[in-house]
Amino acid sequence: MGSEAMEGAEYLQGWHDRHPGATSAMLDSLTDEVGRSSYEVLAEAIRDGDEPVLDLACGDGYLLELLHPNHVCLGMDWNTAELNAASRRLGQGAPLARANAAELPIATAALGAVGCHYALMLLQPLEGVLAELARVLRPYGLLATVLPASPPEDTPNPISVFRAAWQEVSDTHSVNIPRIQDDRALRSESLKMLLADAEFTSVVVQSFSCSKPMTVDEASRFLLLTYLPDLLPPAGFAQLTRVLEAELAELDGGTGTVTFVEHSDLVTAHRR
């Protein structure tokens, strides 16, 4: 891992040390048109079976809890605070381990499926991680991952408002942004090529969205509890909060609420 990627990994570790469980707390309340969270969409993609399932970058164990009734599951993450949160959620003795995604302590061809929720783009080096997943999956084993997708450019929404506010504030307050992700994981064609190189086939990408009406204050707190705003100096963070709340208030059209929409891709692939 290069120095830039190491700096990004250190930032992510610090963020999750401070905010264990934040990802599931934010995303579990957003649902699709049939009432499923993005975690439930992913859990449904991992079909029933007797073979073990790995939740990679399991965080606080939210997906593991969904999978547990139908699968033999294990969860792995590099962050100790998240694993402690998962242990509290799942109970003592839960099959959890601290592990590097590129060096999994799992035997070759031992798994029937791997699930990964909103994390594959954060796991570096991406080629090494995909090769390791191919190693631990049995032939035709399933890799299923949910990844964030960009919102439509012509539709105003809280995420596009946040990006515009961030750009305005970061122009004033210089921020050294670490390399926290590999954007190739977020581009369907690039990811398909990487998966093919790692001996995966039958790649399918399904786009979906989950949403929830929120007050301006709720949406603002939701957006500020993401990666990067905490890199701003106090004055910059305060400015970002003001700009964001003002722009969200314009978006609500006088109703007092905005619809927060999270666009995602469900990507499935099979080990050759």
Side-chain angles (χ1 to χ4, degrees), residues 71-84:
H71 299 278
V72 176
C73 300
L74 60 154
M76 294 187 178
D77 202 292
W78 187 245
N79 185 266
T80 302
E82 293 284 11
L83 288 170
N84 288 339

Side-chain angles (χ1 to χ4, degrees), residues 27 60 117 162 175 177 226 243 256:
L27 295 179
D60 70 338
H117 184 274
F162 172 80
V175 177
I177 300 176
T226 55
V243 172

Side-chain angles (χ1 to χ4, degrees), residues 33-184:
E33 68 277 2
V34 294
R36 302 174 302 174
S37 72
S38 55
Y39 288 95
E40 290 167 320
V41 171
L42 180 55
E44 289 182 12
I46 300 172
R47 289 171 282 278
D48 293 342
D50 297 330
E51 295 168 297
V53 175
L54 168 66
D55 180 4
L56 182 64
C58 65
D60 70 338
Y62 192 99
L63 178 63
L64 281 170
E65 191 172 43
L66 294 175
L67 292 172
H68 179 68
N70 300 314
H71 299 278
V72 176
C73 300
L74 60 154
M76 294 187 178
D77 202 292
W78 187 245
N79 185 266
T80 302
E82 293 284 11
L83 288 170
N84 288 339
S87 181
R88 290 191 294 271
R89 177 188 291 277
L90 301 170
Q92 289 189 342
L96 302 167
R98 184 172 187 262
N100 181 336
E103 299 176 1
L104 297 172
I106 299 174
T108 298
L111 302 177
V114 174
C116 185
H117 184 274
Y118 263 58
L120 185 63
M121 67 285 183
L122 306 175
L123 304 177
Q124 302 182 53
L126 185 53
E127 286 91 345
V129 171
L130 294 177
E132 185 69 345
L133 296 182
R135 182 187 69 80
V136 299
L137 280 166
R138 63 159 173 77
Y140 213 65
L142 173 69
L143 169 62
T145 179
V146 167
L147 294 160
S150 296
E153 293 183 1
D154 58 349
T155 306
N157 62 79
I159 292 179
S160 61
V161 165
F162 172 80
R163 289 176 178 172
W166 171 264
Q167 186 61 53
E168 178 180 336
V169 173
S170 60
D171 285 344
T172 305
H173 298 274
S174 179
V175 177
N176 179 27
I177 300 176
R179 183 189 169 200
I180 63 173
Q181 67 184 30
D182 190 327
D183 290 338
R184 293 176 299 169

Side-chain angles (χ1 to χ4, degrees), residues 19 162 166 169-170 173 175 220-221 223-245:
H19 307 294
F162 172 80
W166 171 264
V169 173
S170 60
H173 298 274
V175 177
S220 177
R221 285 188 283 108
L223 289 162
L224 290 170
L225 188 61
T226 55
Y227 300 139
L228 304 184
D230 58 348
L231 291 171
L232 289 165
F237 190 86
Q239 182 186 356
L240 178 62
T241 303
R242 290 193 302 270
V243 172
L244 185 58
E245 289 178 348

